[in-house]
Amino acid sequence: MADLQRHRGNFRWESVDLLPYKEGDSDSCSVTRQILSDGRDGLPVQLRYFEIAPDGHSTLERHRHLHIVVVLRGGGQVLSGSEIVDVGPLDVVHIPSGTWHQLQATRGEPLGFLCLVHRERDRPERPGPQELAQILRDPAVAAFVRP
Ligand code: MN
């Protein structure tokens, strides 16, 4: 028997729940999360599909663990450190450890992407007032970011 979760259309998969973006985070209703794989012994990763509604955004955060992001649907922009890049379907973005990052659905369409993480990972950190001031010192980042 194949270990298969079949795509059932419109970026939903069989036996995969549509979850809120983050547990207990009530101000992030513009983002949904689906856990496509919780990894396997010998491959301790989690593969998630996130979808950001048009004009929505992920949280501005950083953490020690890395992300590999593969855009599947729509497009938008990604902040990674001091860089802001346009992304569209099948683009691959690596978010390094300890880097402030945020994804935004800036094309008036949803931004849907796979995000691969280690199964055991540290919790994201949000910027405090001093860190935010530091982040906003870069004018391009200040114009982009939604704290
Ligand atoms: Mn993150």
PDB file of all heavy atoms in Angstrom, residues 60-84:
ATOM      1  N   LEU A  60       6.757  38.502  11.142  1.00  0.00           N
ATOM      2  CA  LEU A  60       8.172  38.871  11.105  1.00  0.00           C
ATOM      3  C   LEU A  60       8.833  38.151  12.280  1.00  0.00           C
ATOM      4  O   LEU A  60       8.455  38.369  13.436  1.00  0.00           O
ATOM      5  CB  LEU A  60       8.313  40.385  11.233  1.00  0.00           C
ATOM      6  CG  LEU A  60       9.729  40.933  11.335  1.00  0.00           C
ATOM      7  CD1 LEU A  60      10.528  40.637  10.071  1.00  0.00           C
ATOM      8  CD2 LEU A  60       9.693  42.430  11.622  1.00  0.00           C
ATOM      9  N   GLU A  61       9.785  37.282  11.987  1.00  0.00           N
ATOM     10  CA  GLU A  61      10.348  36.419  13.033  1.00  0.00           C
ATOM     11  C   GLU A  61      11.738  35.955  12.638  1.00  0.00           C
ATOM     12  O   GLU A  61      12.176  36.120  11.495  1.00  0.00           O
ATOM     13  CB  GLU A  61       9.449  35.186  13.232  1.00  0.00           C
ATOM     14  CG  GLU A  61       9.344  34.338  11.951  1.00  0.00           C
ATOM     15  CD  GLU A  61       8.490  33.087  12.113  1.00  0.00           C
ATOM     16  OE1 GLU A  61       7.473  33.131  12.820  1.00  0.00           O
ATOM     17  OE2 GLU A  61       8.870  32.054  11.512  1.00  0.00           O
ATOM     18  N   ARG A  62      12.412  35.380  13.639  1.00  0.00           N
ATOM     19  CA  ARG A  62      13.672  34.696  13.366  1.00  0.00           C
ATOM     20  C   ARG A  62      13.785  33.519  14.335  1.00  0.00           C
ATOM     21  O   ARG A  62      13.062  33.440  15.340  1.00  0.00           O
ATOM     22  CB  ARG A  62      14.882  35.624  13.516  1.00  0.00           C
ATOM     23  CG  ARG A  62      15.185  36.029  14.930  1.00  0.00           C
ATOM     24  CD  ARG A  62      16.433  36.891  15.003  1.00  0.00           C
ATOM     25  NE  ARG A  62      16.622  37.360  16.377  1.00  0.00           N
ATOM     26  CZ  ARG A  62      17.568  38.213  16.747  1.00  0.00           C
ATOM     27  NH1 ARG A  62      18.411  38.699  15.868  1.00  0.00           N
ATOM     28  NH2 ARG A  62      17.662  38.595  18.010  1.00  0.00           N
ATOM     29  N   HIS A  63      14.649  32.595  14.017  1.00  0.00           N
ATOM     30  CA  HIS A  63      14.861  31.399  14.828  1.00  0.00           C
ATOM     31  C   HIS A  63      16.123  30.718  14.350  1.00  0.00           C
ATOM     32  O   HIS A  63      16.656  31.074  13.285  1.00  0.00           O
ATOM     33  CB  HIS A  63      13.660  30.446  14.726  1.00  0.00           C
ATOM     34  CG  HIS A  63      12.990  30.440  13.373  1.00  0.00           C
ATOM     35  ND1 HIS A  63      13.606  29.938  12.259  1.00  0.00           N
ATOM     36  CD2 HIS A  63      11.792  30.921  12.950  1.00  0.00           C
ATOM     37  CE1 HIS A  63      12.803  30.082  11.215  1.00  0.00           C
ATOM     38  NE2 HIS A  63      11.693  30.694  11.600  1.00  0.00           N
ATOM     39  N   ARG A  64      16.606  29.783  15.151  1.00  0.00           N
ATOM     40  CA  ARG A  64      17.842  29.089  14.768  1.00  0.00           C
ATOM     41  C   ARG A  64      17.627  28.123  13.613  1.00  0.00           C
ATOM     42  O   ARG A  64      18.515  27.923  12.795  1.00  0.00           O
ATOM     43  CB  ARG A  64      18.434  28.336  15.976  1.00  0.00           C
ATOM     44  CG  ARG A  64      19.098  29.249  16.996  1.00  0.00           C
ATOM     45  CD  ARG A  64      19.944  28.456  17.991  1.00  0.00           C
ATOM     46  NE  ARG A  64      19.149  27.453  18.695  1.00  0.00           N
ATOM     47  CZ  ARG A  64      18.365  27.712  19.752  1.00  0.00           C
ATOM     48  NH1 ARG A  64      18.269  28.942  20.225  1.00  0.00           N
ATOM     49  NH2 ARG A  64      17.685  26.756  20.334  1.00  0.00           N
ATOM     50  N   HIS A  65      16.437  27.513  13.559  1.00  0.00           N
ATOM     51  CA  HIS A  65      16.219  26.522  12.489  1.00  0.00           C
ATOM     52  C   HIS A  65      16.057  27.206  11.127  1.00  0.00           C
ATOM     53  O   HIS A  65      15.743  28.399  11.039  1.00  0.00           O
ATOM     54  CB  HIS A  65      15.023  25.624  12.806  1.00  0.00           C
ATOM     55  CG  HIS A  65      13.684  26.310  12.846  1.00  0.00           C
ATOM     56  ND1 HIS A  65      13.169  26.887  13.981  1.00  0.00           N
ATOM     57  CD2 HIS A  65      12.749  26.501  11.892  1.00  0.00           C
ATOM     58  CE1 HIS A  65      11.976  27.381  13.720  1.00  0.00           C
ATOM     59  NE2 HIS A  65      11.692  27.177  12.456  1.00  0.00           N
ATOM     60  N   LEU A  66      16.310  26.437  10.089  1.00  0.00           N
ATOM     61  CA  LEU A  66      16.276  26.943   8.719  1.00  0.00           C
ATOM     62  C   LEU A  66      14.942  26.620   8.069  1.00  0.00           C
ATOM     63  O   LEU A  66      14.237  25.702   8.500  1.00  0.00           O
ATOM     64  CB  LEU A  66      17.393  26.278   7.906  1.00  0.00           C
ATOM     65  CG  LEU A  66      18.790  26.486   8.460  1.00  0.00           C
ATOM     66  CD1 LEU A  66      19.492  25.177   8.679  1.00  0.00           C
ATOM     67  CD2 LEU A  66      19.588  27.360   7.528  1.00  0.00           C
ATOM     68  N   HIS A  67      14.638  27.392   7.026  1.00  0.00           N
ATOM     69  CA  HIS A  67      13.504  27.076   6.163  1.00  0.00           C
ATOM     70  C   HIS A  67      14.004  26.846   4.743  1.00  0.00           C
ATOM     71  O   HIS A  67      14.873  27.581   4.268  1.00  0.00           O
ATOM     72  CB  HIS A  67      12.527  28.249   6.045  1.00  0.00           C
ATOM     73  CG  HIS A  67      11.755  28.594   7.266  1.00  0.00           C
ATOM     74  ND1 HIS A  67      11.102  27.680   8.036  1.00  0.00           N
ATOM     75  CD2 HIS A  67      11.487  29.784   7.825  1.00  0.00           C
ATOM     76  CE1 HIS A  67      10.480  28.290   9.021  1.00  0.00           C
ATOM     77  NE2 HIS A  67      10.703  29.579   8.923  1.00  0.00           N
ATOM     78  N   ILE A  68      13.417  25.881   4.080  1.00  0.00           N
ATOM     79  CA  ILE A  68      13.490  25.829   2.618  1.00  0.00           C
ATOM     80  C   ILE A  68      12.063  26.019   2.129  1.00  0.00           C
ATOM     81  O   ILE A  68      11.157  25.261   2.506  1.00  0.00           O
ATOM     82  CB  ILE A  68      14.066  24.496   2.107  1.00  0.00           C
ATOM     83  CG1 ILE A  68      15.485  24.285   2.645  1.00  0.00           C
ATOM     84  CG2 ILE A  68      14.063  24.489   0.574  1.00  0.00           C
ATOM     85  CD1 ILE A  68      16.054  22.915   2.324  1.00  0.00           C
ATOM     86  N   VAL A  69      11.872  27.065   1.344  1.00  0.00           N
ATOM     87  CA  VAL A  69      10.546  27.447   0.863  1.00  0.00           C
ATOM     88  C   VAL A  69      10.478  27.214  -0.643  1.00  0.00           C
ATOM     89  O   VAL A  69      11.392  27.615  -1.373  1.00  0.00           O
ATOM     90  CB  VAL A  69      10.267  28.934   1.186  1.00  0.00           C
ATOM     91  CG1 VAL A  69       9.019  29.436   0.484  1.00  0.00           C
ATOM     92  CG2 VAL A  69      10.167  29.144   2.692  1.00  0.00           C
ATOM     93  N   VAL A  70       9.417  26.564  -1.087  1.00  0.00           N
ATOM     94  CA  VAL A  70       9.181  26.375  -2.525  1.00  0.00           C
ATOM     95  C   VAL A  70       7.790  26.918  -2.835  1.00  0.00           C
ATOM     96  O   VAL A  70       6.791  26.389  -2.331  1.00  0.00           O
ATOM     97  CB  VAL A  70       9.251  24.889  -2.938  1.00  0.00           C
ATOM     98  CG1 VAL A  70       9.081  24.759  -4.451  1.00  0.00           C
ATOM     99  CG2 VAL A  70      10.542  24.248  -2.481  1.00  0.00           C
ATOM    100  N   VAL A  71       7.729  27.954  -3.630  1.00  0.00           N
ATOM    101  CA  VAL A  71       6.438  28.557  -3.972  1.00  0.00           C
ATOM    102  C   VAL A  71       5.688  27.629  -4.924  1.00  0.00           C
ATOM    103  O   VAL A  71       6.254  27.122  -5.900  1.00  0.00           O
ATOM    104  CB  VAL A  71       6.640  29.940  -4.624  1.00  0.00           C
ATOM    105  CG1 VAL A  71       5.300  30.536  -5.048  1.00  0.00           C
ATOM    106  CG2 VAL A  71       7.373  30.880  -3.673  1.00  0.00           C
ATOM    107  N   LEU A  72       4.415  27.391  -4.608  1.00  0.00           N
ATOM    108  CA  LEU A  72       3.587  26.572  -5.494  1.00  0.00           C
ATOM    109  C   LEU A  72       2.526  27.380  -6.212  1.00  0.00           C
ATOM    110  O   LEU A  72       2.081  27.008  -7.289  1.00  0.00           O
ATOM    111  CB  LEU A  72       2.883  25.462  -4.695  1.00  0.00           C
ATOM    112  CG  LEU A  72       3.722  24.345  -4.119  1.00  0.00           C
ATOM    113  CD1 LEU A  72       2.816  23.224  -3.623  1.00  0.00           C
ATOM    114  CD2 LEU A  72       4.718  23.798  -5.133  1.00  0.00           C
ATOM    115  N   ARG A  73       2.104  28.452  -5.594  1.00  0.00           N
ATOM    116  CA  ARG A  73       0.914  29.152  -6.092  1.00  0.00           C
ATOM    117  C   ARG A  73       1.063  30.652  -5.894  1.00  0.00           C
ATOM    118  O   ARG A  73       1.525  31.108  -4.852  1.00  0.00           O
ATOM    119  CB  ARG A  73      -0.278  28.659  -5.282  1.00  0.00           C
ATOM    120  CG  ARG A  73      -1.536  29.388  -5.575  1.00  0.00           C
ATOM    121  CD  ARG A  73      -2.664  28.955  -4.673  1.00  0.00           C
ATOM    122  NE  ARG A  73      -3.917  29.319  -5.306  1.00  0.00           N
ATOM    123  CZ  ARG A  73      -5.113  29.093  -4.794  1.00  0.00           C
ATOM    124  NH1 ARG A  73      -5.212  28.469  -3.642  1.00  0.00           N
ATOM    125  NH2 ARG A  73      -6.195  29.467  -5.426  1.00  0.00           N
ATOM    126  N   GLY A  74       0.632  31.407  -6.892  1.00  0.00           N
ATOM    127  CA  GLY A  74       0.603  32.859  -6.759  1.00  0.00           C
ATOM    128  C   GLY A  74       1.988  33.445  -6.678  1.00  0.00           C
ATOM    129  O   GLY A  74       2.932  32.935  -7.281  1.00  0.00           O
ATOM    130  N   GLY A  75       2.097  34.482  -5.920  1.00  0.00           N
ATOM    131  CA  GLY A  75       3.397  35.123  -5.815  1.00  0.00           C
ATOM    132  C   GLY A  75       3.384  36.193  -4.750  1.00  0.00           C
ATOM    133  O   GLY A  75       2.368  36.454  -4.113  1.00  0.00           O
ATOM    134  N   GLY A  76       4.540  36.778  -4.573  1.00  0.00           N
ATOM    135  CA  GLY A  76       4.667  37.818  -3.570  1.00  0.00           C
ATOM    136  C   GLY A  76       6.117  38.187  -3.374  1.00  0.00           C
ATOM    137  O   GLY A  76       6.928  38.091  -4.302  1.00  0.00           O
ATOM    138  N   GLN A  77       6.434  38.583  -2.165  1.00  0.00           N
ATOM    139  CA  GLN A  77       7.789  39.007  -1.843  1.00  0.00           C
ATOM    140  C   GLN A  77       8.220  38.384  -0.520  1.00  0.00           C
ATOM    141  O   GLN A  77       7.403  38.141   0.375  1.00  0.00           O
ATOM    142  CB  GLN A  77       7.856  40.534  -1.746  1.00  0.00           C
ATOM    143  CG  GLN A  77       7.725  41.218  -3.103  1.00  0.00           C
ATOM    144  CD  GLN A  77       7.542  42.716  -2.948  1.00  0.00           C
ATOM    145  OE1 GLN A  77       6.526  43.166  -2.454  1.00  0.00           O
ATOM    146  NE2 GLN A  77       8.555  43.459  -3.354  1.00  0.00           N
ATOM    147  N   VAL A  78       9.518  38.163  -0.439  1.00  0.00           N
ATOM    148  CA  VAL A  78      10.105  37.577   0.762  1.00  0.00           C
ATOM    149  C   VAL A  78      11.196  38.504   1.274  1.00  0.00           C
ATOM    150  O   VAL A  78      12.085  38.908   0.520  1.00  0.00           O
ATOM    151  CB  VAL A  78      10.737  36.202   0.467  1.00  0.00           C
ATOM    152  CG1 VAL A  78      11.353  35.614   1.736  1.00  0.00           C
ATOM    153  CG2 VAL A  78       9.704  35.237  -0.109  1.00  0.00           C
ATOM    154  N   LEU A  79      11.101  38.831   2.561  1.00  0.00           N
ATOM    155  CA  LEU A  79      12.202  39.494   3.256  1.00  0.00           C
ATOM    156  C   LEU A  79      13.038  38.424   3.926  1.00  0.00           C
ATOM    157  O   LEU A  79      12.519  37.580   4.658  1.00  0.00           O
ATOM    158  CB  LEU A  79      11.660  40.458   4.314  1.00  0.00           C
ATOM    159  CG  LEU A  79      12.698  40.991   5.312  1.00  0.00           C
ATOM    160  CD1 LEU A  79      13.631  41.994   4.648  1.00  0.00           C
ATOM    161  CD2 LEU A  79      12.013  41.618   6.529  1.00  0.00           C
ATOM    162  N   SER A  80      14.349  38.456   3.659  1.00  0.00           N
ATOM    163  CA  SER A  80      15.281  37.561   4.336  1.00  0.00           C
ATOM    164  C   SER A  80      16.510  38.383   4.686  1.00  0.00           C
ATOM    165  O   SER A  80      17.288  38.744   3.805  1.00  0.00           O
ATOM    166  CB  SER A  80      15.641  36.385   3.427  1.00  0.00           C
ATOM    167  OG  SER A  80      16.576  35.531   4.059  1.00  0.00           O
ATOM    168  N   GLY A  81      16.629  38.717   5.962  1.00  0.00           N
ATOM    169  CA  GLY A  81      17.695  39.638   6.369  1.00  0.00           C
ATOM    170  C   GLY A  81      17.415  41.019   5.807  1.00  0.00           C
ATOM    171  O   GLY A  81      16.359  41.586   6.047  1.00  0.00           O
ATOM    172  N   SER A  82      18.344  41.547   5.033  1.00  0.00           N
ATOM    173  CA  SER A  82      18.138  42.877   4.445  1.00  0.00           C
ATOM    174  C   SER A  82      17.697  42.792   2.990  1.00  0.00           C
ATOM    175  O   SER A  82      17.612  43.808   2.306  1.00  0.00           O
ATOM    176  CB  SER A  82      19.426  43.696   4.559  1.00  0.00           C
ATOM    177  OG  SER A  82      20.474  43.024   3.874  1.00  0.00           O
ATOM    178  N   GLU A  83      17.440  41.586   2.518  1.00  0.00           N
ATOM    179  CA  GLU A  83      17.045  41.386   1.124  1.00  0.00           C
ATOM    180  C   GLU A  83      15.543  41.224   0.996  1.00  0.00           C
ATOM    181  O   GLU A  83      14.910  40.510   1.789  1.00  0.00           O
ATOM    182  CB  GLU A  83      17.690  40.104   0.581  1.00  0.00           C
ATOM    183  CG  GLU A  83      19.048  40.292  -0.045  1.00  0.00           C
ATOM    184  CD  GLU A  83      19.433  39.026  -0.799  1.00  0.00           C
ATOM    185  OE1 GLU A  83      19.783  38.036  -0.117  1.00  0.00           O
ATOM    186  OE2 GLU A  83      19.343  39.032  -2.026  1.00  0.00           O
ATOM    187  N   ILE A  84      14.971  41.855  -0.041  1.00  0.00           N
ATOM    188  CA  ILE A  84      13.564  41.660  -0.382  1.00  0.00           C
ATOM    189  C   ILE A  84      13.526  41.164  -1.821  1.00  0.00           C
ATOM    190  O   ILE A  84      14.025  41.845  -2.718  1.00  0.00           O
ATOM    191  CB  ILE A  84      12.770  42.966  -0.248  1.00  0.00           C
ATOM    192  CG1 ILE A  84      12.823  43.471   1.200  1.00  0.00           C
ATOM    193  CG2 ILE A  84      11.315  42.760  -0.685  1.00  0.00           C
ATOM    194  CD1 ILE A  84      12.516  44.940   1.352  1.00  0.00           C
TER     195      ILE A  84
END
